[in-house]
């Protein structure tokens, strides 16, 4: 089926992990992801989600890159896209395989099943830990001794009583490479993540304008961030993805910021057809590109960025202003500002002009 790991666990109440989830939510570390609060009870206990479940089969699929994703960060005129998003949407691929496997299970052994790939309030990482697939590292992601950190997780809930596997132990030791490398310092403590400072959250889940203090720290990361995964020493055992649809498209390995800035809604949807990137929409995506351009320090982008000042999307205009502030001398920026401020009615965009 293309999975590299499998384990089985009981549908237990998470105990300590539930308390950590509660703390995470109370600290507002989830930011604007309100859906994390809405079904907190389901996350804390799989039987709240489906009372009939008696066993949970956890599976992992490897999506390891063929090059070090950190190398892209030095290419200031290029974009850095998270490894998992450089080809097809993994939800479709993994869920399809889970359904095939679940169908065979029912055919041979009976029972009822439900399959999940980030499609319900299921805490896949703690379940994978309990099933022996790995442990949650200090960066909160799953780490496996044979496959490193590049893993997609899927779950099959079943009413069958199956033999359970032993949970994995934590092998992080004193290492904190993942904490040290984070550009925005999104880890207040080991094993705790403040999503509000995480570049993956900021470039994908966050719907508003990204805080000024965080924009310069994002570099050229326009969709997701792999830094904490890429530096994990356990990745020396990781293998490259074997699934064709999980291997990087050549045009998404290191795409030109110039090209990405030209995308209108139609071309954006066409270029990212079948990609997880498509779901954030053109406006959010282009605003991320403008932040990367501002961080590039490259004056060649100035004419294109100035053209974005009349974009229909408020978030695009706002980030165009910020990028111009980074790329232009003060006098040149002031001359542009005189032309545009009188015509602007958006409060957030006016703030970008004035601050």
């Amino acid at each position: 089926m293309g999975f590299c790991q499998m384990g089985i666990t009981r549908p237990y109440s998470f105990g300590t992990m539930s308390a950590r989830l509660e703390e995470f939510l109370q600290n507002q570390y989830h930011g604007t992801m309100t859906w994390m609060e809405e079904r907190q009870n389901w996350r804390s206990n799989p039987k709240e989600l489906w009372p009939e479940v008696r066993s949970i089969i956890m599976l992992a699929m490897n999506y390891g890159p063929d090059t070090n994703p950190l190398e892209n960060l030095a290419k200031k005129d290029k974009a850095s896209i998270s490894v998992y998003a450089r080809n097809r949407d993994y939800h479709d691929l993994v869920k399809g395989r889970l359904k095939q496997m679940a169908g065979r299970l029912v055919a041979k052994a009976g029972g009822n099943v439900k399959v999940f790939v980030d499609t319900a309030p299921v805490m896949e990482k703690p379940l994978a830990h309990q099933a022996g697939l790995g442990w949650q590292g200090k960066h909160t992601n799953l780490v496996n001794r044979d496959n490193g950190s590049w893993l997609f997780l899927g779950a099959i809930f079943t009413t069958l009583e199956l033999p359970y596997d032993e949970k994995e132990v934590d092998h992080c030791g004193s290492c904190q490479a993942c904490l040290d490398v984070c550009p925005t310092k999104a880890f207040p403590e080991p094993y705790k993540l403040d999503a509000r400072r995480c570049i993956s959250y900021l470039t994908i889940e966050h719907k508003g304008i990204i805080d000024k203090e965080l924009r310069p720290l994002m570099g050229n990361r326009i969709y997701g961030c792999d830094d904490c995964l890429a530096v994990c020493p356990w990745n020396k055992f990781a293998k490259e993805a074997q699934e064709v649809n999980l291997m990087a498209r050549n045009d998404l390995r290191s795409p030109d910021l110039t090209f990405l800035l030209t995308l209108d809604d139609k071309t954006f949807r066409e270029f990212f057809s079948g990609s997880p990137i498509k779901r954030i929409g053109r406006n959010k995506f282009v605003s991320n590109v403008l932040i990367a351009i501002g961080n590039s320090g490259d004056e060649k982008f100035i004419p294109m960025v100035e053209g974005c000042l009349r974009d229909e999307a408020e978030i695009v205009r706002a980030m165009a202003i910020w990028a111009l502030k980074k790329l232009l001398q003060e006098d040149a920026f002031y001359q542009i500002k005189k032309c545009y401020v009188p015509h602007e009615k958006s409060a957030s965009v006016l703030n970008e002009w004035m601050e």
Side-chain angles (χ1 to χ4, degrees), residues 62-142:
N62 171 45
Y63 69 98
D66 56 2
T67 58
N68 185 346
L70 297 181
E71 295 173 358
N72 228 21
L73 301 178
K75 304 172 184 177
K76 302 301 183 183
D77 62 338
K78 305 289 185 180
S80 182
I81 293 173
S82 185
V83 171
Y84 88 87
R86 293 179 182 177
N87 204 322
R88 307 290 293 182
D89 191 334
Y90 75 92
H91 295 87
D92 300 333
L93 174 64
V94 176
K95 193 167 188 178
R97 300 292 174 82
L98 289 175
K99 286 182 175 180
Q100 289 181 47
M101 183 172 176
R104 294 185 184 186
L105 176 65
V106 171
K108 288 181 178 292
N112 294 319
V113 294
K114 293 181 185 289
V115 302
F116 303 107
V117 188
D118 296 338
T119 51
V122 175
M123 294 218 286
E124 290 95 347
K125 290 181 285 187
L127 286 170
H129 178 197
Q130 285 294 129
L133 269 60
W135 69 98
Q136 279 190 260
K138 292 176 182 177
H139 51 19
T140 76
N141 291 292
L142 197 77

Coordinates of all heavy atoms in Angstrom, one line a residue, residues 62-142:
N62 N 6.1 7.6 4.1 CA 7.3 8.5 4.0 C 7.2 9.4 2.8 O 6.8 9.1 1.7 CB 8.5 7.5 3.8 CG 9.8 8.3 3.5 OD1 10.0 9.3 4.1 ND2 10.5 7.9 2.5
Y63 N 7.5 10.7 3.1 CA 7.6 11.7 2.0 C 8.9 12.4 2.0 O 9.1 13.6 1.6 CB 6.4 12.7 2.1 CG 6.5 13.7 3.2 CD1 7.0 15.0 3.1 CD2 6.1 13.4 4.5 CE1 7.1 15.9 4.1 CE2 6.1 14.3 5.6 CZ 6.6 15.5 5.4 OH 6.7 16.4 6.4
G64 N 10.0 11.7 2.4 CA 11.3 12.3 2.5 C 11.8 12.9 1.2 O 11.6 12.4 0.1
P65 N 12.5 14.1 1.3 CA 13.0 14.8 0.1 C 14.3 14.2 -0.4 O 15.0 13.5 0.4 CB 13.2 16.2 0.7 CG 13.6 16.0 2.1 CD 12.7 14.8 2.6
D66 N 14.6 14.5 -1.6 CA 15.8 14.0 -2.2 C 17.0 15.0 -2.0 O 18.1 14.7 -2.4 CB 15.7 13.6 -3.7 CG 15.1 14.8 -4.5 OD1 14.9 15.9 -4.0 OD2 14.9 14.5 -5.7
T67 N 16.7 16.2 -1.5 CA 17.7 17.2 -1.2 C 17.4 17.8 0.1 O 16.3 17.7 0.6 CB 17.8 18.3 -2.3 OG1 16.5 18.9 -2.4 CG2 18.2 17.7 -3.6
N68 N 18.4 18.5 0.7 CA 18.2 19.2 2.0 C 17.3 20.5 1.7 O 17.8 21.4 1.1 CB 19.5 19.6 2.6 CG 19.4 20.2 4.0 OD1 18.3 20.5 4.4 ND2 20.5 20.3 4.7
P69 N 16.1 20.6 2.3 CA 15.3 21.7 2.1 C 15.9 23.0 2.6 O 15.5 24.1 2.1 CB 14.0 21.4 2.8 CG 14.3 20.3 3.8 CD 15.5 19.6 3.2
L70 N 16.8 22.9 3.5 CA 17.4 24.2 4.1 C 18.3 24.9 3.1 O 18.6 26.1 3.2 CB 18.2 23.8 5.3 CG 17.5 23.3 6.5 CD1 18.4 23.0 7.7 CD2 16.3 24.2 6.9
E71 N 18.8 24.2 2.0 CA 19.6 24.8 1.0 C 18.9 25.9 0.3 O 19.5 26.8 -0.3 CB 20.1 23.7 0.0 CG 21.0 22.7 0.7 CD 21.4 21.5 -0.3 OE1 20.9 21.6 -1.4 OE2 22.2 20.6 0.1
N72 N 17.6 25.8 0.2 CA 16.8 26.7 -0.6 C 16.7 28.1 0.1 O 16.4 29.1 -0.5 CB 15.3 26.2 -0.7 CG 14.8 26.3 -2.1 OD1 15.6 26.4 -3.1 ND2 13.5 26.3 -2.3
L73 N 16.9 28.1 1.4 CA 16.8 29.4 2.2 C 17.8 30.4 1.8 O 17.6 31.6 2.0 CB 16.9 29.1 3.7 CG 15.8 28.1 4.2 CD1 16.1 27.9 5.7 CD2 14.4 28.6 3.9
A74 N 18.9 30.0 1.2 CA 19.9 31.0 0.8 C 19.7 31.6 -0.6 O 20.3 32.6 -0.9 CB 21.3 30.3 0.8
K75 N 18.7 31.1 -1.3 CA 18.4 31.6 -2.6 C 17.3 32.7 -2.5 O 16.1 32.4 -2.6 CB 17.9 30.5 -3.5 CG 18.9 29.4 -3.7 CD 18.3 28.2 -4.4 CE 19.2 27.0 -4.4 NZ 18.6 25.8 -5.1
K76 N 17.7 33.9 -2.3 CA 16.8 35.0 -2.0 C 15.8 35.4 -3.0 O 14.8 36.0 -2.7 CB 17.6 36.3 -1.6 CG 18.6 36.1 -0.4 CD 17.9 35.6 0.8 CE 18.8 35.5 2.0 NZ 18.2 35.0 3.2
D77 N 16.1 35.1 -4.3 CA 15.1 35.4 -5.4 C 14.2 34.2 -5.7 O 13.4 34.3 -6.6 CB 15.9 35.9 -6.6 CG 16.8 34.8 -7.2 OD1 17.2 33.9 -6.4 OD2 17.1 34.9 -8.4
K78 N 14.4 33.2 -4.9 CA 13.6 32.0 -5.1 C 12.6 31.8 -3.9 O 12.8 32.4 -2.8 CB 14.4 30.7 -5.2 CG 15.5 30.8 -6.3 CD 14.8 30.7 -7.7 CE 15.9 30.7 -8.8 NZ 15.4 30.6 -10.1
A79 N 11.6 31.0 -4.0 CA 10.7 30.7 -2.9 C 11.0 29.3 -2.3 O 11.4 28.4 -3.0 CB 9.3 30.7 -3.4
S80 N 10.8 29.3 -1.0 CA 10.9 28.0 -0.3 C 9.5 27.5 0.1 O 8.8 28.2 0.8 CB 11.8 28.2 1.0 OG 12.0 27.0 1.6
I81 N 9.2 26.3 -0.4 CA 7.9 25.7 -0.2 C 8.2 24.4 0.6 O 9.1 23.6 0.3 CB 7.2 25.4 -1.5 CG1 6.8 26.7 -2.2 CG2 6.0 24.5 -1.3 CD1 6.2 26.5 -3.6
S82 N 7.3 24.2 1.6 CA 7.5 23.0 2.5 C 7.5 21.7 1.6 O 6.8 21.6 0.6 CB 6.4 23.0 3.5 OG 6.6 21.9 4.4
V83 N 8.4 20.8 2.0 CA 8.5 19.6 1.2 C 7.2 18.9 1.0 O 7.0 18.4 -0.1 CB 9.5 18.6 2.0 CG1 9.5 17.2 1.3 CG2 10.9 19.2 2.0
Y84 N 6.3 18.8 2.0 CA 5.1 18.1 1.8 C 4.2 18.6 0.8 O 3.3 17.9 0.3 CB 4.3 18.0 3.1 CG 3.4 19.1 3.4 CD1 2.1 19.1 3.0 CD2 3.8 20.2 4.1 CE1 1.2 20.1 3.3 CE2 2.9 21.3 4.4 CZ 1.6 21.2 4.0 OH 0.7 22.2 4.2
A85 N 4.4 19.9 0.4 CA 3.4 20.6 -0.6 C 4.0 20.8 -1.9 O 3.5 21.6 -2.7 CB 3.1 21.9 0.0
R86 N 5.1 20.1 -2.3 CA 5.7 20.3 -3.6 C 5.1 19.4 -4.7 O 5.7 19.3 -5.8 CB 7.2 20.0 -3.5 CG 7.9 21.0 -2.6 CD 9.4 20.7 -2.5 NE 10.1 21.7 -1.6 CZ 11.4 21.7 -1.3 NH1 12.1 20.7 -1.8 NH2 11.9 22.6 -0.5
N87 N 4.1 18.7 -4.4 CA 3.4 17.9 -5.4 C 1.9 17.8 -5.1 O 1.3 18.7 -4.7 CB 4.0 16.5 -5.6 CG 3.8 15.9 -7.0 OD1 2.7 16.0 -7.5 ND2 4.8 15.3 -7.5
R88 N 1.3 16.6 -5.2 CA -0.1 16.4 -5.0 C -0.5 16.5 -3.5 O 0.4 16.3 -2.6 CB -0.5 15.0 -5.5 CG -0.1 14.8 -6.9 CD -0.9 15.6 -7.9 NE -2.3 15.3 -7.9 CZ -3.2 15.9 -8.8 NH1 -2.8 16.8 -9.6 NH2 -4.5 15.5 -8.7
D89 N -1.7 16.8 -3.2 CA -2.2 16.9 -1.9 C -2.2 15.5 -1.3 O -2.9 14.5 -1.7 CB -3.7 17.4 -1.9 CG -4.2 17.8 -0.5 OD1 -3.7 17.2 0.5 OD2 -5.1 18.6 -0.4
Y90 N -1.4 15.3 -0.2 CA -1.3 14.0 0.4 C -2.6 13.5 1.0 O -2.7 12.2 1.1 CB -0.2 14.0 1.5 CG -0.6 14.7 2.8 CD1 -1.2 14.0 3.8 CD2 -0.4 16.1 3.0 CE1 -1.5 14.6 5.0 CE2 -0.8 16.7 4.1 CZ -1.4 16.0 5.2 OH -1.7 16.6 6.3
H91 N -3.5 14.3 1.4 CA -4.8 13.9 1.9 C -5.4 12.9 1.0 O -5.9 11.8 1.4 CB -5.7 15.0 2.2 CG -5.3 16.0 3.2 ND1 -4.4 17.0 2.9 CD2 -5.5 16.0 4.6 CE1 -4.2 17.7 4.1 NE2 -4.8 17.1 5.1
D92 N -5.5 13.2 -0.3 CA -6.1 12.4 -1.3 C -5.4 11.0 -1.4 O -6.1 10.0 -1.5 CB -6.2 13.1 -2.6 CG -7.0 14.4 -2.6 OD1 -7.8 14.5 -1.7 OD2 -6.7 15.3 -3.4
L93 N -4.1 11.1 -1.5 CA -3.3 9.9 -1.7 C -3.5 8.9 -0.5 O -3.8 7.8 -0.7 CB -1.9 10.2 -2.0 CG -0.9 9.0 -2.1 CD1 -1.3 8.1 -3.2 CD2 0.5 9.5 -2.1
V94 N -3.2 9.5 0.7 CA -3.2 8.6 1.9 C -4.6 8.1 2.2 O -4.8 6.9 2.5 CB -2.6 9.4 3.1 CG1 -2.7 8.6 4.3 CG2 -1.1 9.8 2.8
K95 N -5.6 9.0 2.0 CA -6.9 8.5 2.3 C -7.4 7.4 1.4 O -8.0 6.4 1.8 CB -7.9 9.7 2.3 CG -9.3 9.3 2.9 CD -10.1 10.6 3.1 CE -11.4 10.2 3.9 NZ -12.2 11.4 4.2
G96 N -7.0 7.5 0.1 CA -7.3 6.5 -0.8 C -6.7 5.1 -0.5 O -7.4 4.1 -0.5
R97 N -5.5 5.2 0.0 CA -4.8 3.9 0.4 C -5.5 3.4 1.7 O -5.6 2.1 1.8 CB -3.3 4.2 0.6 CG -2.6 4.6 -0.6 CD -2.5 3.6 -1.7 NE -1.9 4.1 -2.9 CZ -0.6 4.2 -3.1 NH1 0.2 3.9 -2.2 NH2 -0.2 4.7 -4.3
L98 N -5.8 4.2 2.6 CA -6.4 3.8 3.8 C -7.8 3.1 3.5 O -8.1 2.1 4.2 CB -6.7 5.0 4.8 CG -5.5 5.6 5.5 CD1 -5.9 6.8 6.2 CD2 -4.8 4.6 6.4
K99 N -8.5 3.7 2.6 CA -9.8 3.1 2.3 C -9.6 1.7 1.6 O -10.4 0.8 1.9 CB -10.6 4.0 1.3 CG -11.2 5.2 1.9 CD -11.9 6.1 0.9 CE -12.6 7.2 1.6 NZ -13.4 8.1 0.6
Q100 N -8.6 1.5 0.8 CA -8.3 0.2 0.2 C -8.0 -0.8 1.3 O -8.5 -1.9 1.3 CB -7.1 0.3 -0.7 CG -7.4 1.1 -2.0 CD -6.2 1.1 -2.9 OE1 -5.5 0.1 -3.1 NE2 -5.8 2.3 -3.4
M101 N -7.1 -0.4 2.2 CA -6.7 -1.3 3.3 C -7.9 -1.6 4.2 O -8.1 -2.8 4.6 CB -5.6 -0.6 4.1 CG -5.0 -1.5 5.2 SD -3.5 -0.8 5.9 CE -3.2 -2.0 7.2
A102 N -8.7 -0.6 4.6 CA -9.8 -0.8 5.4 C -10.8 -1.8 4.8 O -11.4 -2.6 5.4 CB -10.5 0.5 5.8
G103 N -11.0 -1.6 3.5 CA -11.9 -2.5 2.7 C -11.5 -3.9 2.8 O -12.3 -4.8 2.9
R104 N -10.2 -4.2 2.6 CA -9.6 -5.5 2.7 C -9.8 -6.1 4.1 O -10.1 -7.3 4.3 CB -8.2 -5.5 2.3 CG -7.9 -5.2 0.8 CD -6.5 -5.3 0.5 NE -6.2 -4.9 -0.9 CZ -5.1 -5.0 -1.5 NH1 -4.0 -5.6 -0.9 NH2 -4.9 -4.6 -2.7
L105 N -9.6 -5.2 5.1 CA -9.8 -5.7 6.5 C -11.2 -6.2 6.8 O -11.4 -7.2 7.3 CB -9.4 -4.6 7.5 CG -9.6 -4.8 8.9 CD1 -8.7 -5.9 9.4 CD2 -9.4 -3.6 9.8
V106 N -12.2 -5.4 6.3 CA -13.6 -5.7 6.5 C -13.9 -7.0 5.8 O -14.6 -7.9 6.3 CB -14.5 -4.6 6.1 CG1 -15.9 -5.0 6.1 CG2 -14.3 -3.4 7.0
A107 N -13.4 -7.1 4.5 CA -13.7 -8.3 3.7 C -13.1 -9.6 4.4 O -13.8 -10.7 4.3 CB -13.1 -8.2 2.4
K108 N -12.0 -9.5 5.1 CA -11.4 -10.7 5.7 C -11.9 -10.9 7.1 O -12.0 -12.1 7.5 CB -9.9 -10.5 5.7 CG -9.2 -10.7 4.3 CD -7.7 -10.5 4.4 CE -7.1 -10.7 3.0 NZ -7.2 -12.1 2.6
A109 N -12.1 -9.8 7.9 CA -12.4 -10.0 9.3 C -13.7 -9.4 9.8 O -14.0 -9.6 11.0 CB -11.2 -9.4 10.1
G110 N -14.4 -8.7 8.9 CA -15.7 -8.1 9.3 C -15.5 -6.8 10.1 O -14.4 -6.2 10.0
G111 N -16.5 -6.5 10.9 CA -16.4 -5.2 11.6 C -16.7 -4.0 10.8 O -16.9 -4.1 9.6
N112 N -16.8 -2.9 11.5 CA -16.9 -1.6 10.8 C -15.7 -0.8 10.9 O -14.9 -1.0 11.9 CB -18.1 -0.8 11.4 CG -19.5 -1.5 11.2 OD1 -19.7 -2.0 10.1 ND2 -20.3 -1.6 12.2
V113 N -15.5 0.2 10.0 CA -14.3 1.0 10.0 C -14.6 2.4 9.7 O -15.6 2.7 9.0 CB -13.3 0.5 9.0 CG1 -12.7 -0.9 9.4 CG2 -13.9 0.4 7.6
K114 N -13.7 3.3 10.1 CA -13.7 4.7 9.7 C -12.2 5.1 9.4 O -11.3 4.6 10.2 CB -14.3 5.6 10.7 CG -15.8 5.5 11.0 CD -16.3 6.4 12.0 CE -17.8 6.2 12.4 NZ -18.6 6.6 11.2
V115 N -12.0 5.9 8.4 CA -10.6 6.3 8.1 C -10.4 7.8 8.2 O -11.3 8.6 7.9 CB -10.1 5.8 6.7 CG1 -10.2 4.3 6.6 CG2 -10.9 6.5 5.6
F116 N -9.2 8.2 8.7 CA -9.0 9.7 8.9 C -7.6 10.1 8.5 O -6.6 9.3 8.8 CB -9.1 10.0 10.4 CG -10.5 9.6 11.0 CD1 -10.6 8.5 11.8 CD2 -11.6 10.4 10.7 CE1 -11.9 8.2 12.4 CE2 -12.9 10.0 11.2 CZ -13.0 8.9 12.0
V117 N -7.5 11.2 7.8 CA -6.2 11.8 7.5 C -6.4 13.3 7.6 O -6.7 14.0 6.7 CB -5.8 11.5 6.0 CG1 -4.3 12.0 5.8 CG2 -5.9 10.1 5.7
D118 N -6.2 13.8 8.8 CA -6.4 15.2 9.1 C -7.9 15.7 8.7 O -8.1 16.8 8.4 CB -5.4 16.1 8.3 CG -4.0 15.9 8.8 OD1 -3.8 15.4 9.9 OD2 -3.1 16.2 8.0
T119 N -8.8 14.7 8.8 CA -10.1 15.0 8.3 C -11.1 15.0 9.4 O -12.3 15.1 9.2 CB -10.6 14.0 7.2 OG1 -10.3 12.7 7.7 CG2 -9.8 14.2 6.0
A120 N -10.7 14.8 10.7 CA -11.5 14.8 11.8 C -10.7 15.2 13.0 O -9.5 15.2 13.0 CB -12.2 13.4 12.0
P121 N -11.3 15.5 14.2 CA -10.6 15.9 15.4 C -9.9 14.7 16.0 O -10.4 14.2 17.0 CB -11.6 16.6 16.3 CG -12.9 16.0 15.8 CD -12.8 15.8 14.3
V122 N -8.9 14.2 15.4 CA -8.1 13.0 15.9 C -6.7 13.5 16.1 O -6.1 14.1 15.3 CB -8.1 11.9 14.8 CG1 -7.2 10.7 15.2 CG2 -9.5 11.4 14.5
M123 N -6.2 13.1 17.3 CA -4.8 13.4 17.6 C -3.9 12.3 17.1 O -3.5 11.4 17.8 CB -4.6 13.7 19.1 CG -5.4 14.9 19.6 SD -4.5 15.8 20.9 CE -4.7 14.8 22.3
E124 N -3.5 12.4 15.8 CA -2.8 11.4 15.1 C -1.4 11.1 15.8 O -1.0 9.9 15.8 CB -2.6 11.7 13.6 CG -3.9 11.6 12.8 CD -4.5 12.9 12.7 OE1 -4.2 13.9 13.4 OE2 -5.5 13.0 11.8
K125 N -0.7 12.2 16.2 CA 0.7 12.0 16.7 C 0.7 11.2 18.0 O 1.5 10.2 18.1 CB 1.4 13.3 16.7 CG 1.7 13.9 15.4 CD 2.4 15.2 15.4 CE 1.5 16.3 15.8 NZ 2.2 17.6 15.7
P126 N -0.1 11.6 19.0 CA -0.2 10.7 20.2 C -0.6 9.3 19.9 O -0.1 8.4 20.6 CB -1.2 11.5 21.1 CG -1.1 12.9 20.6 CD -0.9 12.8 19.1
L127 N -1.6 9.1 19.0 CA -2.0 7.8 18.7 C -0.8 7.0 18.0 O -0.6 5.8 18.3 CB -3.2 7.8 17.8 CG -4.5 8.2 18.4 CD1 -5.6 8.4 17.3 CD2 -5.0 7.1 19.4
A128 N -0.1 7.6 17.2 CA 1.0 7.0 16.5 C 2.1 6.6 17.5 O 2.8 5.6 17.5 CB 1.6 7.9 15.4
H129 N 2.3 7.5 18.5 CA 3.2 7.2 19.6 C 2.8 6.0 20.4 O 3.6 5.0 20.6 CB 3.3 8.4 20.5 CG 4.2 8.2 21.7 ND1 4.2 9.1 22.8 CD2 5.2 7.3 22.0 CE1 5.1 8.7 23.7 NE2 5.7 7.6 23.2
Q130 N 1.5 5.9 20.7 CA 1.0 4.8 21.5 C 1.1 3.5 20.7 O 1.2 2.4 21.2 CB -0.5 5.0 21.9 CG -0.6 6.0 23.0 CD -0.1 5.5 24.3 OE1 0.7 6.2 25.0 NE2 -0.5 4.3 24.7
A131 N 1.0 3.6 19.3 CA 1.0 2.4 18.5 C 2.4 2.0 18.1 O 2.6 1.0 17.4 CB 0.2 2.7 17.2
G132 N 3.4 2.7 18.6 CA 4.8 2.3 18.4 C 5.4 2.8 17.1 O 6.5 2.4 16.8
L133 N 4.8 3.8 16.5 CA 5.4 4.3 15.2 C 6.5 5.3 15.4 O 7.2 5.6 14.5 CB 4.3 5.0 14.4 CG 3.5 4.1 13.4 CD1 2.8 2.9 14.0 CD2 2.5 4.9 12.5
G134 N 6.6 5.8 16.6 CA 7.6 6.8 16.9 C 7.3 7.5 18.2 O 6.4 7.1 18.9
W135 N 7.9 8.7 18.4 CA 7.6 9.5 19.5 C 7.5 11.0 19.1 O 8.0 11.3 18.0 CB 8.7 9.4 20.6 CG 10.1 10.0 20.2 CD1 10.5 11.2 20.5 CD2 11.1 9.4 19.4 NE1 11.8 11.4 19.9 CE2 12.1 10.3 19.2 CE3 11.2 8.1 18.7 CZ2 13.3 10.0 18.5 CZ3 12.3 7.9 18.0 CH2 13.3 8.8 17.9
Q136 N 6.8 11.8 19.9 CA 6.7 13.2 19.5 C 7.9 13.9 20.1 O 8.2 13.9 21.3 CB 5.4 13.8 20.2 CG 4.2 13.5 19.3 CD 3.0 14.3 19.8 OE1 2.2 13.8 20.5 NE2 2.9 15.6 19.4
G137 N 8.7 14.4 19.1 CA 10.0 15.1 19.5 C 9.7 16.4 20.2 O 8.6 16.8 20.4
K138 N 10.8 17.1 20.5 CA 10.7 18.4 21.1 C 10.1 19.4 20.2 O 9.6 20.4 20.7 CB 12.1 18.8 21.6 CG 12.7 18.0 22.7 CD 14.1 18.3 23.1 CE 14.6 17.4 24.2 NZ 16.0 17.7 24.6
H139 N 10.0 19.1 18.9 CA 9.4 20.0 18.0 C 7.9 19.7 17.8 O 7.2 20.2 17.0 CB 10.0 20.0 16.6 CG 10.3 18.7 16.0 ND1 9.6 17.5 16.4 CD2 11.1 18.3 15.0 CE1 10.1 16.5 15.7 NE2 11.0 16.9 14.8
T140 N 7.4 18.7 18.6 CA 6.0 18.2 18.7 C 5.6 17.3 17.5 O 4.5 16.8 17.4 CB 5.0 19.3 18.8 OG1 4.8 20.0 17.6 CG2 5.4 20.3 19.9
N141 N 6.5 17.1 16.5 CA 6.2 16.2 15.4 C 6.7 14.8 15.7 O 7.6 14.6 16.6 CB 7.0 16.7 14.1 CG 6.4 18.0 13.6 OD1 5.2 18.0 13.2 ND2 7.1 19.1 13.7
L142 N 6.2 13.8 15.0 CA 6.5 12.4 15.2 C 7.9 12.2 14.6 O 8.2 12.6 13.5 CB 5.5 11.5 14.6 CG 5.6 10.1 15.1 CD1 4.9 10.0 16.5 CD2 4.9 9.1 14.1

